[in-house]
Each structure stands twice: as structure tokens, then as C-alpha cells.
Amino acid sequence: MAVPDRVSEPLRKPVPTVVQQSAPVASTPSNAYTCAPYSGIERPNPVGNLYRDTFAWGTTPPYRVGDGHGDVNWRLNPADNPSWYMWLHSLRWLGQGIRAAGKGDKRALQRVDAIAHDWVRDNPYPWRSDAGATESTMHRTNVLICLRQAVQSGLRVGRLPPAYRWIDAALLQHSQYLQRHWSGDWNHGTEESLALFGVGCTLGRAELKRTAADRLTAGIKTAIDAQGSTNEQSTAYAQYNYSLWGRAIDVLGRCGVEASPTIKARRQQLANWLALATNSLGYLHQLGDSEVVKTAPVAGTPLEYAGTLGTRGTRPVQRVGVFDAGYVFGRTGWGVERPFGAESTYSIRFGPVRRLHGHDDHMSLTYTSLGRDVLIDGGHAGYQGDEWQRWARGASAHNVMTVSGVGASATRLTRSVVQETSEYYELRDAGRTRGVLVLKDPDLMVVLDRGSSAVRRSYETLWHLPAGQQVTPYGQGSVVAQRPGDTVKTVLLQVPYGEPTAPAQVESSWHYRTIDKRSAAPVVGFTRSGRTASILSVIVPAKATAAVRYTTSQRAGQTLLHLQVGAVRATVAIAADGTLKRA
């Protein structure tokens, strides 16, 4: 279990956030473009700090970047952090000042105008050689549009006064850059297209609107597939894309362009995907570059029911969703036979290799039951390119069987069988096969990992447990995990199958609930070595007082695994080819 052991705090980059409705239109008399929100970058930067030319971002203390008169040194980067530098150049930190200016605060208008105009003077177009200025172009474009609207609403004028016409010139330069540099079919490209459309809408440039609308129509076909999966391999970014494409529909419509039927249809499918990706605690399963994120309860969609823990909205019809992009989301129910929070929910990953915001998490599971997390993902460590990011994205931060000397590869879901009280899935890649059987009553998982190689290798099935749990031995090679004083526990059974078991390995790993909140969390490993390996695990969430036992027997070439959780019994049949079935 390779985990970083050097303690250092990650450098924070804002993670995707979702707004349930489009941002309100600023009170501007001359155009219909919806001024984009500032993604929270403006919150630690009140107007008083802007008067001192002070910039604050993330966990970095506020830093004076100018001379106190709006003359900023745009080459500063005291944190030596590319994200700090990029968000400085985005100008989003001026948001509170722009809002104040739009309400008639002339002093605030003078200061945000001075800082934004200083950026334009000090960073002549094109700014291709400056990575910070380049990446933030789409954000800065929106800020300049917001500033233009604030000038008009704050001064109560219909036409931009001569002193502020530099804004239009800067917007045209930004539009030239956006036309020539499009990131394509993911959230960056979507935001770039919206910013370009915003310039066209604001300045009455039909050709810019047309280019942007065409890019949005083309990009949606891969950004969200026909089943509602995004191409970014992250649940948090999936929710962000739901919000972003809602903004696209709003922005296009308010400026006279009808969004394509494909945009609307695929966004609807994404809402269904997100509802199924919601666990029994009301959060999205933490997959890919995702913090622990609550599901946004968007009214009138399946998200309303999922995000409110079943207290509002219409209950989704699907209990299990299998998506070609590489996701399985399942649950024992939607809170009908038992309370919503008492249901068990799970995720399984497969599909193409990691890209964009994905992790090397193929075959990994997450699991909730009895009102708590049972199996967790290592989480999202940020974008700073250090050992923590590499660990969080790597296989050892996930609930997989690792194989020494073998890297990540595409994974196929070769079989799936969904029944009333059980679901079975088989996943394969170049050297591994994982069978997963999920049971209801008793709620538990049976996982059979098999590996083979032409040479001797080390195999280790990893189970990441929530922070705060204590792990103690439980029988031969098994463990029980429980927080002190808790009324529930997790029993991890290591069942002999084809070869002897080895003692469970228990180490301290990590869990990132957010990219700047890392907690120590236990990870349990079941290990083998050789040219082949078979590791049979049972994950049992149970009440603290419940006895958990198992026996095995043989019948007609099958191994029968007899499980007892408290007073409830179940038998699992394991065929000679590794197929798992509730008997």
C-alpha cells in the first residue's frame, strides 16, 4: 500500500460548484447576456481589500499585489503556485467591487476599472506566452462583460461613456483569442464558448455568436453522451457540467438563440445520471477529481428527490444504472421499504483509461450502508502536480486489487445480472478479473479478485475505510472496523478460496474530503504472491452487536459460502469459472 507519508498541505484550486438556477441578469439596459458568477473567488476579497490592491485566494494569506492605486504587478506569485497566479489574472477576485459599482458605488467603480484597465495595459494581446493569462482568458472575458454592465447600471447610462470604451476593445481582443484557441468538448471548452458568445451578444457581433453556438452544439455530443455520462470521469465535474449546460441554455435563449435539442436532451439524461450517482447520505459517490459534494436538489428533475433524501420530488424509477462510459450505480431502494438513509448504495468503475479529471480507479467500489460510509475513495488532492495528487489519482488510493509492475489499462464490464435482492458484475482487464455480488437483506458485498501473469507478482486487494475507524483482527485473516462507541461496524472477511489466506495488512492511509482537508484513514490489504492469485473478500456492514460468521462447503463443483449477519442468513454460490450467485 504505497501512500505518501510526508505531511504537507496541498495548494487549493477551486473545485466545481453547481448553481441550481441561472444567475440573475444584471440590471443592464443594453444587452441580454447573463453576467456569469465569480465561482466564490470574490468572497475573500471585499471591496475594502480592493482599495488596498490586496488579493486573497484559497489558503494563501491576503497579499498586496499593487501600489494602492490600482497599479498591479501582474508577474507576482508569492506562493509559487500556478493556480494562485491564474486566478489573479482571471480578475474574478474583483467581483464584490463590480457588484458594488453596479449599484452606484462610484469609488468601487473607479477601483475595479483601474485594476482591470491596468491588466489590459500590462498584458498586451496576444498573451500566449503567459500561461496564467492564457488559462484565465475565458474567466477574464466574463469579468470584463460584468464590469461593462456595472458601468452602465451604476452610472445609469445606455451607451458606454468614452472613458470606458477600452472595455469593448479588450473584449474584442479576448474574442480573437477565444476564436483561435478552443479547448474542445469539456468544461473548459464550454466556458470558452459561453464567454465568446457573451462578447457577441454584448457587442452585437453575430459572427461571434454563431461560432460559439456551433461549438456548443458540437461539443455537447461528447461532453455528455446519450446516456447522460460526462467525458470528465468525475462525479463533481458531472454536477458542474449540469449547471454549466443549464447556463448555456439560459445564455443562448436570452440573446435570441435557441439551444439545440441535443443540449437539452443530454442535460436531462445527466440529471438522471446524477440522481443514480447519489448515495444514501445525499452526496455524490466520490469519484475522480471530486470533493465530497452534496447532490444539488434541482426542482422538477430526479435530482430533487435524490438531493432532498426523498422528502421532495418524484422518486426515480431506476434502482440500478449501468453506463457505457464506465459507471455502475446501484442501491437497495429509494426509501420506500426503509428510510432513505438506511438504504445501501454503491458505485463500480470500469471503462476507458484515465483522462481529464479521472483517476486510475477501474474496478474500484464505494459503498454506503446503515447511514454511513463503508468503503471510501481516497478523494481529490488538488491540481498542484505533487506526490499527493499522484497518489490520489493512482490505483492505491482506491478499492482495487493492485498488481506489482502492472499499470492502468482499460477495463471491460463483461457481465451484469440485476435481480430483486442481488446484483452481479464481472469486470476484466489485461491481467485482472473482479467479480462483485451485492446482496440485499443482509446488505453486503462479496468480491472475488483473480489475477494471472507470466511472472511472479505481488497482488493486494485494498479496502479503504472512513477516517476515525479502528481496525482489529477478526478471525483468520479478517478484520472488524469501528469508531469507538459507534453502534455499527464493518467486518471485512477474507475467505480462503483456492489458496490459503495471509494475515490482513492494516496501514494508515488518507482521505481528502476536500482538497485542503486531508484526514488519516485506515486501509486494509489482503495480499498474495505468485503467478496467479485469488482473493475472496466479503464486506459486511452490521450493527455493533450483530455476530458475523461464515462457513464454506462444496456442491456439484461449486463452492458455497454460507453467511450469517445477526439472525439473517444468505448463501453465495461460486462456480468453477468464478461466477458469483445468490443461491
Side-chain angles (χ1 to χ4, degrees):
M1 287 171 279
V3 298
D5 58 6
R6 180 176 61 81
V7 175
S8 63
E9 286 304 314
L11 300 172
R12 183 173 179 82
K13 176 179 179 179
V15 294
T17 57
V18 63
V19 291
Q20 294 180 40
Q21 297 180 2
S22 300
V25 181
S27 55
T28 171
S30 63
N31 63 67
Y33 179 72
T34 306
C35 180
Y38 302 99
S39 298
I41 306 297
E42 84 284 10
R43 290 175 195 151
N45 294 283
V47 179
N49 282 11
L50 301 185
Y51 294 143
R52 293 185 289 272
D53 292 342
T54 299
F55 170 57
W57 175 80
T59 58
T60 305
Y63 192 85
R64 187 167 182 177
V65 295
D67 65 352
H69 300 285
D71 185 4
V72 174
N73 182 351
W74 298 102
R75 305 283 80 80
L76 289 173
N77 189 1
D80 193 27
N81 180 349
S83 293
W84 187 98
Y85 186 78
M86 189 274 286
W87 290 114
L88 173 72
H89 280 256
S90 76
L91 301 184
R92 280 189 168 185
W93 53 288
L94 303 181
Q96 290 198 48
I98 292 174
R99 290 190 185 118
K103 295 176 182 178
D105 187 332
K106 293 184 179 179
R107 186 182 177 207
L109 175 58
Q110 185 278 330
R111 179 46 52 97
V112 294
D113 174 71
I115 294 174
H117 200 175
D118 184 69
W119 189 95
V120 171
R121 284 192 297 261
D122 291 357
N123 296 274
Y125 177 84
W127 42 84
R128 183 66 182 167
S129 61
D130 189 328
T134 296
E135 186 177 355
S136 61
T137 297
M138 58 188 175
H139 306 303
R140 193 170 52 254
T141 303
N142 272 306
V143 172
L144 291 173
I145 295 173
C146 295
L147 175 59
R148 189 184 195 278
Q149 293 180 2
V151 170
Q152 292 177 272
S153 60
L155 298 180
R156 299 180 181 275
V157 295
R159 184 183 296 273
L160 203 64
Y164 297 98
R165 289 179 186 167
W166 68 267
I167 300 175
D168 287 357
L171 285 173
L172 287 174
Q173 287 183 335
H174 280 64
S175 73
Q176 290 177 40
Y177 186 91
L178 293 169
Q179 287 181 87
R180 294 171 181 172
H181 306 97
W182 182 46
S183 297
D185 55 1
W186 61 307
N187 75 81
H188 278 216
T190 306
E191 291 197 79
E192 289 161 357
S193 297
L194 289 173
L196 180 62
F197 187 90
V199 178
C201 181
T202 299
L203 301 184
R205 301 292 293 265
E207 75 281 6
L208 301 182
K209 291 169 58 179
R210 184 167 53 251
T211 297
D214 288 347
R215 287 178 178 177
L216 290 167
T217 299
I220 190 66
K221 295 176 182 177
T222 46
I224 306 174
D225 70 18
Q227 294 181 324
S229 300
T230 74
N231 61 346
E232 302 205 36
Q233 299 184 346
S234 156
T235 46
Y237 274 93
Q239 182 157 265
Y240 176 62
N241 273 282
Y242 181 82
S243 175
L244 187 60
W245 284 100
R247 172 169 161 74
I249 294 169
D250 174 76
V251 162
L252 292 173
R254 287 174 183 262
C255 204
V257 177
E258 182 72 16
S260 74
T262 302
I263 291 177
K264 296 177 180 179
R266 296 204 173 183
R267 185 169 181 261
Q268 289 178 349
Q269 289 298 107
L270 177 54
N272 181 66
W273 189 98
L274 288 165
L276 288 166
T278 301
N279 66 27
S280 57
L281 311 178
Y283 294 84
L284 296 173
H285 287 283
Q286 191 178 15
L287 304 178
D289 285 344
S290 300
E291 296 187 337
V292 176
V293 176
K294 281 190 174 182
T295 298
V298 183
T301 75
L303 291 167
E304 183 176 17
Y305 189 91
T308 63
L309 305 181
T311 61
R312 295 199 314 268
T314 302
R315 186 173 65 250
V317 175
Q318 273 183 282
R319 184 175 62 83
V320 176
V322 179
F323 298 92
D324 295 342
Y327 301 90
V328 178
F329 299 120
R331 59 199 317 117
T332 52
W334 284 105
V336 177
E337 298 175 359
R338 51 174 114 164
F340 188 102
E343 302 284 9
S344 296
T345 58
Y346 62 91
S347 73
I348 308 175
R349 282 284 285 123
F350 65 98
V353 296
R354 182 180 70 81
R355 71 182 298 255
L356 296 175
H357 291 289
H359 289 184
D360 293 327
D361 57 357
H362 289 24
M363 300 192 187
S364 185
L365 314 172
T366 63
Y367 192 31
T368 70
S369 188
L370 297 177
R372 66 188 178 105
D373 286 309
V374 176
L375 298 177
I376 64 169
D377 184 274
H380 176 25
Y383 305 94
Q384 65 277 17
D386 63 3
E387 62 180 323
W388 292 105
Q389 184 187 27
R390 290 188 290 274
W391 172 79
R393 286 185 169 180
S396 61
H398 304 92
N399 297 304
V400 299
M401 181 175 74
T402 63
V403 183
S404 62
V406 177
S409 63
T411 306
R412 295 175 294 125
L413 177 66
T414 51
R415 284 189 287 175
S416 64
V417 180
V418 177
Q419 298 179 320
E420 185 177 353
T421 62
S422 68
E423 293 93 61
Y424 171 65
Y425 309 97
E426 182 186 74
L427 305 104
R428 293 179 180 269
D429 64 16
R432 301 178 300 170
T433 300
R434 166 166 277 189
V436 181
L437 182 67
V438 187
L439 299 190
K440 176 182 179 180
D441 297 327
D443 293 7
L444 56 83
M445 283 185 168
V446 182
V447 181
L448 176 58
D449 288 317
R450 291 172 291 161
S452 62
S453 173
V455 299
R456 187 178 182 86
R457 297 191 184 277
S458 297
Y459 302 85
E460 186 172 29
T461 293
L462 301 176
W463 300 118
H464 289 264
L465 303 171
Q469 293 194 352
Q470 296 180 359
V471 181
T472 55
Y474 187 85
Q476 183 64 37
S478 303
V479 301
V480 61
Q482 185 178 12
R483 286 191 178 93
D486 207 346
T487 59
V488 290
K489 64 185 176 183
T490 298
V491 179
L492 297 175
L493 300 174
Q494 185 184 186
V495 179
Y497 182 75
E499 55 187 300
T501 60
Q505 304 296 309
V506 181
E507 295 185 14
S508 180
S509 184
W510 303 99
H511 179 219
Y512 281 89
R513 287 187 63 85
T514 66
I515 62 177
D516 56 3
K517 186 177 181 180
R518 181 181 65 234
S519 301
V523 57
V524 177
F526 297 154
T527 61
R528 303 287 188 275
S529 62
R531 293 186 177 181
T532 62
S534 294
I535 302 175
L536 181 59
S537 307
V538 186
I539 301 96
V540 186
K543 293 182 178 180
T545 57
V548 178
R549 301 186 180 91
Y550 79 88
T551 59
T552 60
S553 63
Q554 302 293 319
R555 184 183 70 188
Q558 293 183 324
T559 297
L560 298 182
L561 174 60
H562 309 283
L563 297 160
Q564 181 171 350
V565 183
V568 185
R569 293 182 173 87
T571 296
V572 174
I574 309 173
D577 65 354
T579 300
L580 304 171
K581 183 179 180 180
R582 186 168 196 163

